[in-house]
Amino acid sequence: MLEYEKSISAKIAVQGISNPSSHGAQAIDRAATLLLLVGRAGPSGARLSELVEQCSLSKPTVRRMLLALARAGLLDQDHETRRYYLGPEIHVLGTLASARFGIHSISVRSLVRLSQRTGDTAFLSVPRDVYSICVHREEGPFPIRVHALHAGDRHPLGVGAGGLALLAALPDDEVEDVLAANADVLAEKYPPFSPSVLRNLVQDTRERGYALNPGMLLPDSWAIGVPIHGPDGRPVGALSIAATASRLSRERQLEIAPLLRKEASSIETKLAETDPAEKQARVRRISP
């Protein structure tokens, strides 16, 4: 079974704490939910009306919370469009958190090497619940680039080369849990990626040794990817390379896949070196 909780809707999140004795916790829960909703709106931002609809709170309540979050620098509002965006303090907090959740900073050099070595665009994706989130895009020098994925983009696990690499690295029972959790969104927004198709793609990925997206999101945007495993053996990220179909022939896939695996292994080694449990184990091994 999955070791993480499945995503719940914003409406459930803001209504979930209804005990009269926990009004303070309820306010915090609602504010956190609004932050998540604005963040998930991405670069287009979120309108007040959209946030009210998604969380089923009254308009005055949502506006009051948004203004409080903006005063704290956690949100920012465009004065012309009136849309809300994540604020500067979120960037600061994210930078501070990266010291603990450091796969991004650890992976940057690998992404640069991959993009320069292949000439194409390299990506780092991480799992979040039953989704995959692109956290870094590193463009190579080749003049023709694909633009199917940008930092911050979020897709169900199995969609795209990085997401497929992550899904295929899970045990079979967890794969089925993910497919069940994402069944509705796959049918609505990703019709080519039905659960049966994803099961076949997972099997192909395991047999091939790397994930392949043969233009299933955009016709001429192909990609291959491999998982990054944490010290506990679970997938914590994925590296992928995207290019036009003509640049990802079978022969070139076989050239790029070892480069991805080498960089994934390098990142895994660095993650193990920074893992607190591994550090304690090394201390115990060398102690007299």
Side-chain angles (χ1 to χ4, degrees), residues 84-116:
Y84 289 89
Y85 302 85
L86 292 180
E89 288 302 320
I90 292 292
H91 174 73
V92 174
L93 292 173
T95 301
L96 294 172
S98 67
R100 180 179 180 189
F101 305 101
I103 188 172
H104 186 187
S105 59
I106 288 174
S107 302
V108 170
R109 290 186 179 181
S110 290
L111 291 163
V112 171
R113 283 193 294 265
L114 285 168
S115 64
Q116 293 300 310

mmCIF file of all heavy atoms in Angstrom, residues 84-116:
data_model
loop_
_atom_site.group_PDB
_atom_site.id
_atom_site.type_symbol
_atom_site.label_atom_id
_atom_site.label_comp_id
_atom_site.label_asym_id
_atom_site.label_seq_id
_atom_site.Cartn_x
_atom_site.Cartn_y
_atom_site.Cartn_z
ATOM 1 N N TYR A 84 -4.076 36.309 -7.681
ATOM 2 C CA TYR A 84 -3.163 36.053 -6.577
ATOM 3 C C TYR A 84 -2.069 35.080 -7.005
ATOM 4 O O TYR A 84 -2.310 34.121 -7.754
ATOM 5 C CB TYR A 84 -3.919 35.492 -5.375
ATOM 6 C CG TYR A 84 -4.795 36.511 -4.692
ATOM 7 C CD1 TYR A 84 -6.116 36.711 -5.095
ATOM 8 C CD2 TYR A 84 -4.301 37.295 -3.646
ATOM 9 C CE1 TYR A 84 -6.920 37.660 -4.471
ATOM 10 C CE2 TYR A 84 -5.102 38.242 -3.018
ATOM 11 C CZ TYR A 84 -6.411 38.416 -3.439
ATOM 12 O OH TYR A 84 -7.195 39.348 -2.824
ATOM 13 N N TYR A 85 -0.855 35.332 -6.497
ATOM 14 C CA TYR A 85 0.316 34.496 -6.772
ATOM 15 C C TYR A 85 1.052 34.228 -5.469
ATOM 16 O O TYR A 85 0.868 34.954 -4.476
ATOM 17 C CB TYR A 85 1.271 35.204 -7.741
ATOM 18 C CG TYR A 85 0.652 35.575 -9.068
ATOM 19 C CD1 TYR A 85 -0.069 36.765 -9.208
ATOM 20 C CD2 TYR A 85 0.778 34.751 -10.175
ATOM 21 C CE1 TYR A 85 -0.640 37.110 -10.421
ATOM 22 C CE2 TYR A 85 0.211 35.082 -11.393
ATOM 23 C CZ TYR A 85 -0.500 36.273 -11.511
ATOM 24 O OH TYR A 85 -1.069 36.602 -12.710
ATOM 25 N N LEU A 86 1.895 33.200 -5.480
ATOM 26 C CA LEU A 86 2.746 32.968 -4.316
ATOM 27 C C LEU A 86 3.668 34.166 -4.131
ATOM 28 O O LEU A 86 4.191 34.726 -5.092
ATOM 29 C CB LEU A 86 3.560 31.691 -4.493
ATOM 30 C CG LEU A 86 2.769 30.386 -4.493
ATOM 31 C CD1 LEU A 86 3.720 29.198 -4.680
ATOM 32 C CD2 LEU A 86 1.968 30.210 -3.215
ATOM 33 N N GLY A 87 3.894 34.547 -2.861
ATOM 34 C CA GLY A 87 4.657 35.747 -2.563
ATOM 35 C C GLY A 87 6.139 35.495 -2.347
ATOM 36 O O GLY A 87 6.611 34.346 -2.345
ATOM 37 N N PRO A 88 6.897 36.567 -2.116
ATOM 38 C CA PRO A 88 8.354 36.458 -1.975
ATOM 39 C C PRO A 88 8.796 35.638 -0.771
ATOM 40 O O PRO A 88 9.838 34.982 -0.808
ATOM 41 C CB PRO A 88 8.804 37.924 -1.854
ATOM 42 C CG PRO A 88 7.590 38.678 -1.412
ATOM 43 C CD PRO A 88 6.435 37.976 -2.051
ATOM 44 N N GLU A 89 8.012 35.666 0.296
ATOM 45 C CA GLU A 89 8.410 34.897 1.482
ATOM 46 C C GLU A 89 8.332 33.391 1.235
ATOM 47 O O GLU A 89 9.052 32.618 1.866
ATOM 48 C CB GLU A 89 7.537 35.279 2.677
ATOM 49 C CG GLU A 89 7.833 36.649 3.248
ATOM 50 C CD GLU A 89 9.273 36.792 3.698
ATOM 51 O OE1 GLU A 89 9.818 35.829 4.273
ATOM 52 O OE2 GLU A 89 9.871 37.857 3.463
ATOM 53 N N ILE A 90 7.465 32.981 0.312
ATOM 54 C CA ILE A 90 7.407 31.554 -0.044
ATOM 55 C C ILE A 90 8.717 31.127 -0.686
ATOM 56 O O ILE A 90 9.238 30.036 -0.434
ATOM 57 C CB ILE A 90 6.223 31.279 -0.995
ATOM 58 C CG1 ILE A 90 4.893 31.473 -0.262
ATOM 59 C CG2 ILE A 90 6.311 29.865 -1.573
ATOM 60 C CD1 ILE A 90 4.611 30.446 0.817
ATOM 61 N N HIS A 91 9.268 32.008 -1.532
ATOM 62 C CA HIS A 91 10.563 31.703 -2.151
ATOM 63 C C HIS A 91 11.643 31.557 -1.091
ATOM 64 O O HIS A 91 12.471 30.642 -1.151
ATOM 65 C CB HIS A 91 10.937 32.798 -3.146
ATOM 66 C CG HIS A 91 12.311 32.639 -3.731
ATOM 67 N ND1 HIS A 91 12.615 31.674 -4.666
ATOM 68 C CD2 HIS A 91 13.470 33.302 -3.481
ATOM 69 C CE1 HIS A 91 13.883 31.754 -4.986
ATOM 70 N NE2 HIS A 91 14.429 32.738 -4.277
ATOM 71 N N VAL A 92 11.620 32.460 -0.113
ATOM 72 C CA VAL A 92 12.616 32.388 0.959
ATOM 73 C C VAL A 92 12.473 31.092 1.745
ATOM 74 O O VAL A 92 13.458 30.400 2.029
ATOM 75 C CB VAL A 92 12.474 33.603 1.896
ATOM 76 C CG1 VAL A 92 13.406 33.466 3.101
ATOM 77 C CG2 VAL A 92 12.782 34.897 1.146
ATOM 78 N N LEU A 93 11.234 30.743 2.087
ATOM 79 C CA LEU A 93 10.995 29.508 2.833
ATOM 80 C C LEU A 93 11.417 28.292 2.029
ATOM 81 O O LEU A 93 11.966 27.325 2.573
ATOM 82 C CB LEU A 93 9.517 29.412 3.223
ATOM 83 C CG LEU A 93 9.018 30.423 4.260
ATOM 84 C CD1 LEU A 93 7.510 30.324 4.413
ATOM 85 C CD2 LEU A 93 9.712 30.208 5.595
ATOM 86 N N GLY A 94 11.137 28.323 0.730
ATOM 87 C CA GLY A 94 11.544 27.211 -0.122
ATOM 88 C C GLY A 94 13.049 27.054 -0.162
ATOM 89 O O GLY A 94 13.580 25.933 -0.147
ATOM 90 N N THR A 95 13.756 28.177 -0.207
ATOM 91 C CA THR A 95 15.214 28.130 -0.198
ATOM 92 C C THR A 95 15.733 27.531 1.099
ATOM 93 O O THR A 95 16.658 26.709 1.113
ATOM 94 C CB THR A 95 15.797 29.541 -0.384
ATOM 95 O OG1 THR A 95 15.328 30.076 -1.627
ATOM 96 C CG2 THR A 95 17.315 29.514 -0.402
ATOM 97 N N LEU A 96 15.110 27.940 2.218
ATOM 98 C CA LEU A 96 15.523 27.392 3.506
ATOM 99 C C LEU A 96 15.218 25.906 3.597
ATOM 100 O O LEU A 96 16.012 25.121 4.121
ATOM 101 C CB LEU A 96 14.816 28.140 4.637
ATOM 102 C CG LEU A 96 15.193 29.618 4.797
ATOM 103 C CD1 LEU A 96 14.284 30.284 5.822
ATOM 104 C CD2 LEU A 96 16.651 29.755 5.205
ATOM 105 N N ALA A 97 14.052 25.489 3.068
ATOM 106 C CA ALA A 97 13.667 24.076 3.139
ATOM 107 C C ALA A 97 14.564 23.203 2.281
ATOM 108 O O ALA A 97 14.735 22.014 2.565
ATOM 109 C CB ALA A 97 12.214 23.916 2.688
ATOM 110 N N SER A 98 15.155 23.784 1.233
ATOM 111 C CA SER A 98 15.981 22.974 0.333
ATOM 112 C C SER A 98 17.201 22.407 1.037
ATOM 113 O O SER A 98 17.791 21.432 0.575
ATOM 114 C CB SER A 98 16.418 23.814 -0.874
ATOM 115 O OG SER A 98 17.310 24.840 -0.473
ATOM 116 N N ALA A 99 17.598 23.029 2.165
ATOM 117 C CA ALA A 99 18.724 22.478 2.909
ATOM 118 C C ALA A 99 18.404 21.102 3.458
ATOM 119 O O ALA A 99 19.281 20.259 3.636
ATOM 120 C CB ALA A 99 19.095 23.423 4.057
ATOM 121 N N ARG A 100 17.108 20.863 3.718
ATOM 122 C CA ARG A 100 16.702 19.548 4.219
ATOM 123 C C ARG A 100 16.237 18.643 3.088
ATOM 124 O O ARG A 100 16.572 17.480 3.037
ATOM 125 C CB ARG A 100 15.576 19.715 5.249
ATOM 126 C CG ARG A 100 15.115 18.384 5.807
ATOM 127 C CD ARG A 100 14.017 18.542 6.833
ATOM 128 N NE ARG A 100 13.603 17.253 7.357
ATOM 129 C CZ ARG A 100 12.558 17.065 8.127
ATOM 130 N NH1 ARG A 100 11.817 18.095 8.496
ATOM 131 N NH2 ARG A 100 12.230 15.861 8.558
ATOM 132 N N PHE A 101 15.424 19.208 2.212
ATOM 133 C CA PHE A 101 14.913 18.431 1.091
ATOM 134 C C PHE A 101 15.753 18.785 -0.130
ATOM 135 O O PHE A 101 15.295 19.456 -1.047
ATOM 136 C CB PHE A 101 13.435 18.749 0.863
ATOM 137 C CG PHE A 101 12.599 18.536 2.091
ATOM 138 C CD1 PHE A 101 12.214 19.611 2.863
ATOM 139 C CD2 PHE A 101 12.233 17.268 2.476
ATOM 140 C CE1 PHE A 101 11.442 19.418 4.005
ATOM 141 C CE2 PHE A 101 11.467 17.058 3.623
ATOM 142 C CZ PHE A 101 11.082 18.143 4.386
ATOM 143 N N GLY A 102 17.012 18.325 -0.109
ATOM 144 C CA GLY A 102 18.002 18.864 -1.025
ATOM 145 C C GLY A 102 18.173 18.182 -2.350
ATOM 146 O O GLY A 102 19.206 18.349 -2.982
ATOM 147 N N ILE A 103 17.206 17.401 -2.826
ATOM 148 C CA ILE A 103 17.411 16.721 -4.097
ATOM 149 C C ILE A 103 17.570 17.726 -5.232
ATOM 150 O O ILE A 103 18.315 17.480 -6.187
ATOM 151 C CB ILE A 103 16.270 15.727 -4.394
ATOM 152 C CG1 ILE A 103 16.630 14.891 -5.628
ATOM 153 C CG2 ILE A 103 14.939 16.454 -4.575
ATOM 154 C CD1 ILE A 103 15.671 13.765 -5.894
ATOM 155 N N HIS A 104 16.912 18.874 -5.143
ATOM 156 C CA HIS A 104 17.024 19.874 -6.205
ATOM 157 C C HIS A 104 18.458 20.389 -6.309
ATOM 158 O O HIS A 104 19.074 20.322 -7.378
ATOM 159 C CB HIS A 104 16.058 21.034 -5.935
ATOM 160 C CG HIS A 104 16.020 22.039 -7.050
ATOM 161 N ND1 HIS A 104 15.329 23.216 -6.953
ATOM 162 C CD2 HIS A 104 16.611 22.051 -8.273
ATOM 163 C CE1 HIS A 104 15.479 23.907 -8.070
ATOM 164 N NE2 HIS A 104 16.254 23.221 -8.885
ATOM 165 N N SER A 105 18.985 20.895 -5.201
ATOM 166 C CA SER A 105 20.335 21.459 -5.244
ATOM 167 C C SER A 105 21.370 20.393 -5.576
ATOM 168 O O SER A 105 22.349 20.661 -6.280
ATOM 169 C CB SER A 105 20.667 22.125 -3.905
ATOM 170 O OG SER A 105 20.585 21.200 -2.841
ATOM 171 N N ILE A 106 21.153 19.185 -5.098
ATOM 172 C CA ILE A 106 22.089 18.101 -5.374
ATOM 173 C C ILE A 106 22.075 17.720 -6.853
ATOM 174 O O ILE A 106 23.088 17.294 -7.409
ATOM 175 C CB ILE A 106 21.747 16.873 -4.503
ATOM 176 C CG1 ILE A 106 22.130 17.142 -3.045
ATOM 177 C CG2 ILE A 106 22.439 15.606 -4.996
ATOM 178 C CD1 ILE A 106 21.704 16.059 -2.088
ATOM 179 N N SER A 107 20.939 17.916 -7.509
ATOM 180 C CA SER A 107 20.771 17.447 -8.884
ATOM 181 C C SER A 107 21.172 18.460 -9.948
ATOM 182 O O SER A 107 21.299 18.090 -11.121
ATOM 183 C CB SER A 107 19.302 17.053 -9.119
ATOM 184 O OG SER A 107 18.883 16.064 -8.208
ATOM 185 N N VAL A 108 21.370 19.716 -9.575
ATOM 186 C CA VAL A 108 21.577 20.756 -10.591
ATOM 187 C C VAL A 108 22.795 20.463 -11.471
ATOM 188 O O VAL A 108 22.735 20.589 -12.703
ATOM 189 C CB VAL A 108 21.714 22.139 -9.924
ATOM 190 C CG1 VAL A 108 22.179 23.182 -10.937
ATOM 191 C CG2 VAL A 108 20.381 22.562 -9.327
ATOM 192 N N ARG A 109 23.908 20.079 -10.876
ATOM 193 C CA ARG A 109 25.100 19.805 -11.688
ATOM 194 C C ARG A 109 24.867 18.650 -12.650
ATOM 195 O O ARG A 109 25.333 18.677 -13.799
ATOM 196 C CB ARG A 109 26.299 19.509 -10.783
ATOM 197 C CG ARG A 109 26.809 20.730 -10.028
ATOM 198 C CD ARG A 109 28.080 20.428 -9.271
ATOM 199 N NE ARG A 109 28.574 21.597 -8.563
ATOM 200 C CZ ARG A 109 29.684 21.623 -7.831
ATOM 201 N NH1 ARG A 109 30.411 20.518 -7.707
ATOM 202 N NH2 ARG A 109 30.058 22.732 -7.230
ATOM 203 N N SER A 110 24.148 17.649 -12.197
ATOM 204 C CA SER A 110 23.831 16.521 -13.084
ATOM 205 C C SER A 110 22.966 16.981 -14.247
ATOM 206 O O SER A 110 23.161 16.560 -15.398
ATOM 207 C CB SER A 110 23.116 15.418 -12.299
ATOM 208 O OG SER A 110 23.998 14.779 -11.400
ATOM 209 N N LEU A 111 22.007 17.847 -13.979
ATOM 210 C CA LEU A 111 21.126 18.355 -15.033
ATOM 211 C C LEU A 111 21.914 19.176 -16.052
ATOM 212 O O LEU A 111 21.676 19.077 -17.258
ATOM 213 C CB LEU A 111 20.006 19.186 -14.419
ATOM 214 C CG LEU A 111 18.988 18.402 -13.597
ATOM 215 C CD1 LEU A 111 18.179 19.333 -12.708
ATOM 216 C CD2 LEU A 111 18.056 17.612 -14.502
ATOM 217 N N VAL A 112 22.839 19.983 -15.562
ATOM 218 C CA VAL A 112 23.671 20.773 -16.479
ATOM 219 C C VAL A 112 24.525 19.850 -17.343
ATOM 220 O O VAL A 112 24.629 20.038 -18.570
ATOM 221 C CB VAL A 112 24.561 21.759 -15.692
ATOM 222 C CG1 VAL A 112 25.581 22.422 -16.618
ATOM 223 C CG2 VAL A 112 23.700 22.814 -15.009
ATOM 224 N N ARG A 113 25.138 18.844 -16.730
ATOM 225 C CA ARG A 113 25.962 17.909 -17.508
ATOM 226 C C ARG A 113 25.136 17.195 -18.568
ATOM 227 O O ARG A 113 25.564 17.038 -19.721
ATOM 228 C CB ARG A 113 26.629 16.890 -16.576
ATOM 229 C CG ARG A 113 27.834 17.432 -15.819
ATOM 230 C CD ARG A 113 28.629 16.321 -15.179
ATOM 231 N NE ARG A 113 27.894 15.644 -14.128
ATOM 232 C CZ ARG A 113 27.984 15.941 -12.833
ATOM 233 N NH1 ARG A 113 28.764 16.939 -12.442
ATOM 234 N NH2 ARG A 113 27.303 15.260 -11.924
ATOM 235 N N LEU A 114 23.935 16.758 -18.178
ATOM 236 C CA LEU A 114 23.082 16.039 -19.132
ATOM 237 C C LEU A 114 22.677 16.938 -20.301
ATOM 238 O O LEU A 114 22.712 16.517 -21.462
ATOM 239 C CB LEU A 114 21.832 15.520 -18.416
ATOM 240 C CG LEU A 114 22.031 14.313 -17.506
ATOM 241 C CD1 LEU A 114 20.786 14.087 -16.644
ATOM 242 C CD2 LEU A 114 22.329 13.060 -18.331
ATOM 243 N N SER A 115 22.290 18.161 -20.001
ATOM 244 C CA SER A 115 21.851 19.060 -21.069
ATOM 245 C C SER A 115 23.003 19.418 -22.004
ATOM 246 O O SER A 115 22.814 19.506 -23.221
ATOM 247 C CB SER A 115 21.234 20.328 -20.475
ATOM 248 O OG SER A 115 22.193 21.070 -19.742
ATOM 249 N N GLN A 116 24.197 19.602 -21.445
ATOM 250 C CA GLN A 116 25.343 19.942 -22.284
ATOM 251 C C GLN A 116 25.849 18.740 -23.081
ATOM 252 O O GLN A 116 26.234 18.873 -24.238
ATOM 253 C CB GLN A 116 26.473 20.502 -21.411
ATOM 254 C CG GLN A 116 26.150 21.842 -20.765
ATOM 255 C CD GLN A 116 25.850 22.918 -21.782
ATOM 256 O OE1 GLN A 116 26.601 23.130 -22.731
ATOM 257 N NE2 GLN A 116 24.728 23.609 -21.598
#
